[in-house]
Amino acid sequence: MSGLMDAVRAGRTAETVALLDGMTDAERRAEFPALKELRKELRAARWGAESRRAYPALHAAGAACQTGAAGVATWIAAADMRWPGAAPAVFLHLLGDRDPAWLADVVHRLAQRPASSGVRFELMAGLVRLACCPVPTTDAYVRGWAQHMAGLWQRGGHLADRLRGEPQLRELVRALFATEHIGGVLGWGSEEGPHSWHGALALLTADGRLDRAETVDACVARLLRGGSTGDHRAFLRVLKALDLTREEERARVADWVAMASDAASPVAAHAQALLGALALDGELPHRALAQLSAAVLFRPERKLVRTQLVLLGKVLGRDAGAADALLPTVAEAFGHEDADVQERALKLVERHLKKLRSTEARASVVAAAGQLGPALRARATGSLGAAPLDASALVHEEILPPVPGPARLAPAPSSPAELAEEVGAALAAESDSATFERTLDGLVRHAFSDAAALREALEPVVARRWWAETEEHAAVRVESRFHRHYRGLVGTSDALDLLLVALHEKVSVTRLHRATQAEVPRHLCGHGALSHAFDSRVWEVAYRIRTRPLPFLLATPTWSTGLLEPGELVTRLEEYGRLGARVAAADFAQALLRVRREDRAAAEAAARRAASLGTAEGARLARWLAEERPELPVVGRTTSGPAILTEFGELRELQQDFPPAFRALGRPVSASQEGRDCYHWYDSLKAQWPAVLPERRELVAVRMLRDLSHLALHDVRGMSHVLPLLAESGGEAGETTHLAVAYGLGARHPEDRLAAVDALLVLAARGQLDAPRLGADLGQLIRRGAVKPLRLVDSLRTAAATGAHTTVWNLLGHTLPVLLADLATDGPAAPVRGLGELLAVAAECAERSGARGELPHLAGAAERRGSSRVVTEARRLRGALTAGPAAA
């Protein structure tokens, strides 16, 4: 071994640099193959002590011993040596004597890499100085420059002063405005004045270091292009700091209109303010204001819409001649989804209607009144001369989605090649229950018929798996990972990996057998029973693949919901008897839990067939099908902080004649179980759990309720995908299922709320929605702070927009009394935040559904003083409920 390699392996960076300084280019190149071999050796134990010691010297030596710019850049930016790597000063010393053109090539190659590559800005900047080349304007370089400049505050001076010393300031600032997701860097530690980016850029523009017109244009273009919230905030601060003159504002009217129409809310508000000032000063033509208003009035942000209506009112009050151009635009807001916006627009039109001179404009305003809700439409009949509302138009037809029918599972892939493709797809992305079960059954069938052909077909798939390594420690890793007592399976891809590991004999039979015999702990977390039932069947299948392969699975569902037709299960048992196959205990237990018993005629016919088989499994199935399903265990309700949870008693039906892993499904469930050593952090496997008990959705929901409460309480994301599965599942949709939907409707993230709306509509379409129960639960959850009203408003508006106005009204008819009761003299004086919006949704749904009657505590809210949103919408709702009999 050479002296250089000794120094590198020992991590003596200073000695390595000294040895390299004394070498010729040819001598350096001769050392490179050994350096590559050392890198390969260290990569196998990247985080070991030897690797951490050698990497800085190896990083520097590898760059110095190459002559190609591409190779040097690739070596410097390599992920395996990024930390701990050599310091930038070391590279600059070793490469500083190279040709400037070569150095320019290296730095531009480094700068073209993603910022996540971690190439140090000090290195790139040093190479630029040595090469005397144009500065790179790539994302990595510009981001590094901005972070570097902001990070020099410890040396004193203002950011503006540091930027003045940048020789290529204009090029870098120009690139700064074009860099995506840079707002976080520009806003970090930001304050007013020359210490901040927006203040520094404004100062440099004022003193001529930056061209003002170019800077303003770049800032406006950046805001028009859109981007992240941080970018909007940062560049809007820059625009405000530039303090545009009135002449500059007039020159960019088209840009402000585009921002107000389509940009993010803060940017739109700023553009709206600029245009409003121009309009009030008479410097914005009425036609341009009308075009602007037509776009702004249909934005979802109520503050922007109200501000625009106020602006239009001021312009109309100052200039009577503006009515013909502006009032038809105001009337377009009659079609806004928010009834408050409709009412404000109607008031504005009523106030200025007499100023209209054009018959065409008047006709347009009157025609637009047809978009108003029933109450406002009746008012417009008198004030605007709109046509009276046709009583037949009030007939409401509830629109609910078609009752979802389960899809029949397709047969398992018929060839190993086809199955291999599906296994590869299932490993790449977590599968739903139907896809997983079909793939699982295919693996079992082909492992039984021709395991060698299956392994050959799976070679391209297996080659990419983590456990397919050839190193000696691979077997140890497999044994360690698939240790039943370590943790459960975390997803369908994990389960498929276990089966493939067994098929390729990468795990011992002893390990697999031990896993099938593992005892179920007495104290489980809430999810433990569901996960143990799922896991035990997968481990059992893996064991049988190695020992006595099954011809096919008994528990493969007939339907996508997880249900198994009883006649089909009997046919499978008959085939097992013909083949002399030994039934797998966990698979048979899962088949019993999936077999459909609600159809008593089909169940009894299948029971007679099963009894005639003359086998223990046939007799067990016959008894199971003949038995009436017992009632669910007593439900108790408890609280945990602001959350409301449910608890179940013991279900003895699942305690008898089932394997140990499945008996846990019948154990009592208490809220305190949730914190017991729970390792179910991943959501991917939870989508499989409703198919474990497809006719007992309440038993699934009670074990997942705390997780679902976190959608609303802790703003978690992703668990809601089980809500539509529960809605489509079988069995009673009881208190727990409804609480689960309630938490979903109050979820933080829109996609989670949308899944809850889907579940709500499916339950309603199936006739399984208990609206009084769900509505009352929502009221209590809002009072306890578990559900935020504005999130619920968004969910219910979405449901109502599908045509389910009666369903939404029936919910709110039981939610609102709980909240309105607090406005009584013995409750808090202030209503909950968002109550006005809930009342608005209720009023709209009552109007559109023809609901009539009294709502407890509504009169008290409607008779309160003032014109707050709560009072206004309470009066509107009372008017809708007392407007006379609903149209027939």
Side-chain angles (χ1 to χ4, degrees), residues 429-455:
E430 293 298 319
S431 307
D432 59 26
S433 177
T435 302
F436 173 74
E437 288 290 344
R438 182 171 178 269
T439 306
L440 179 63
D441 189 44
L443 283 170
V444 168
R445 288 175 181 271
H446 288 285
F448 175 80
S449 60
D450 192 343
L454 177 59
R455 282 191 287 267

Side-chain angles (χ1 to χ4, degrees), residues 178-542:
T179 301
E180 298 292 341
H181 305 294
I182 196 68
V185 177
L186 300 186
W188 181 83
S190 185
E191 55 185 274
E192 296 304 319
H195 287 290
S196 66
W197 271 99
H198 60 276
L201 292 175
L203 284 174
L204 294 173
T205 302
D207 65 16
R209 297 295 181 102
L210 297 173
D211 181 81
R212 180 173 181 82
E214 182 181 355
T215 304
V216 172
D217 286 342
C219 191
V220 170
R222 187 68 182 79
L223 291 171
L224 282 170
R225 190 168 76 244
S228 66
T229 302
D231 287 352
H232 292 146
R233 185 181 299 114
F235 290 109
L236 182 58
R237 295 183 76 178
V238 174
L239 182 64
K240 291 179 178 179
L242 290 172
D243 193 18
L244 271 60
T245 65
R246 180 52 62 92
E247 183 178 354
E248 289 174 324
E249 292 173 355
R250 283 196 302 267
R252 293 174 174 80
V253 165
D255 294 328
W256 310 139
V257 170
M259 284 184 194
S261 302
D262 300 317
S265 186
V267 179
H270 179 70
Q272 184 185 45
L274 294 178
L275 291 168
L278 292 172
L280 293 176
D281 289 345
E283 299 184 64
L284 186 67
H286 295 156
R287 185 176 297 277
L289 179 57
Q291 292 174 347
L292 165 69
S293 301
V296 174
L297 290 177
F298 282 90
R299 288 188 64 115
E301 303 94 334
R302 287 197 301 273
K303 184 176 180 180
L304 290 177
V305 173
R306 291 171 181 171
T307 300
Q308 194 67 23
L309 289 173
V310 170
L311 171 62
L312 289 168
K314 290 180 179 179
V315 173
L316 288 166
R318 295 185 181 191
D319 185 357
D324 287 342
L326 299 183
L327 280 186
T329 299
V330 175
E332 290 181 16
F334 292 168
H336 198 281
E337 64 177 14
D338 191 328
D340 179 63
V341 172
Q342 292 183 18
E343 185 173 11
R344 288 171 181 264
L346 179 57
K347 286 181 179 179
L348 187 56
V349 170
E350 289 171 338
R351 189 180 308 127
H352 299 284
L353 184 64
K354 294 181 179 179
K355 298 177 182 179
L356 284 173
R357 296 291 179 265
S358 168
T359 55
E360 182 180 350
R362 179 179 292 273
S364 175
V365 170
V366 172
Q371 303 175 74
L372 292 166
L376 293 177
R377 175 74 178 276
R379 172 174 151 186
T381 300
S383 61
L384 303 184
L389 185 63
D390 184 0
S392 63
L394 294 175
V395 176
H396 173 73
E397 180 181 358
E398 181 80 346
I399 301 175
L400 293 171
V403 177
R408 181 177 282 273
L409 260 68
S414 58
S415 69
E418 182 184 355
L419 175 63
E421 291 183 5
E422 298 203 5
V423 170
L427 288 170
E430 293 298 319
S431 307
D432 59 26
S433 177
T435 302
F436 173 74
E437 288 290 344
R438 182 171 178 269
T439 306
L440 179 63
D441 189 44
L443 283 170
V444 168
R445 288 175 181 271
H446 288 285
F448 175 80
S449 60
D450 192 343
L454 177 59
R455 282 191 287 267
E456 182 180 356
L458 286 168
E459 281 182 2
V461 176
V462 168
R464 298 191 295 269
R465 305 312 296 167
W466 60 268
W467 48 265
E469 301 172 353
T470 57
E471 290 90 338
E472 293 180 1
H473 65 277
V476 177
R477 289 182 59 195
V478 170
E479 291 282 327
S480 175
R481 166 60 192 90
F482 291 116
H483 190 308
R484 182 68 191 275
H485 296 285
Y486 171 56
R487 62 172 181 174
L489 302 172
V490 297
T492 55
S493 60
D494 206 28
L496 292 175
D497 264 329
L498 172 58
L499 298 173
L500 294 177
V501 162
L503 178 67
H504 289 81
E505 301 182 0
K506 293 280 188 176
V507 63
S508 68
V509 174
T510 302
R511 173 73 72 197
L512 293 171
H513 182 261
R514 193 183 307 152
T516 63
Q517 303 301 310
E519 294 184 3
V520 179
R522 185 64 194 171
H523 300 291
L524 294 171
C525 69
H527 318 98
L530 293 165
S531 68
H532 274 279
F534 179 90
D535 289 0
S536 66
R537 180 165 169 250
V538 176
W539 281 100
E540 180 185 68
V541 170

Side-chain angles (χ1 to χ4, degrees), residues 49 121 331 516 546 582 610 723 782 832:
F121 170 75
T516 63
R546 287 294 305 276
R582 183 164 60 87
L723 291 174
I782 289 172
V832 297

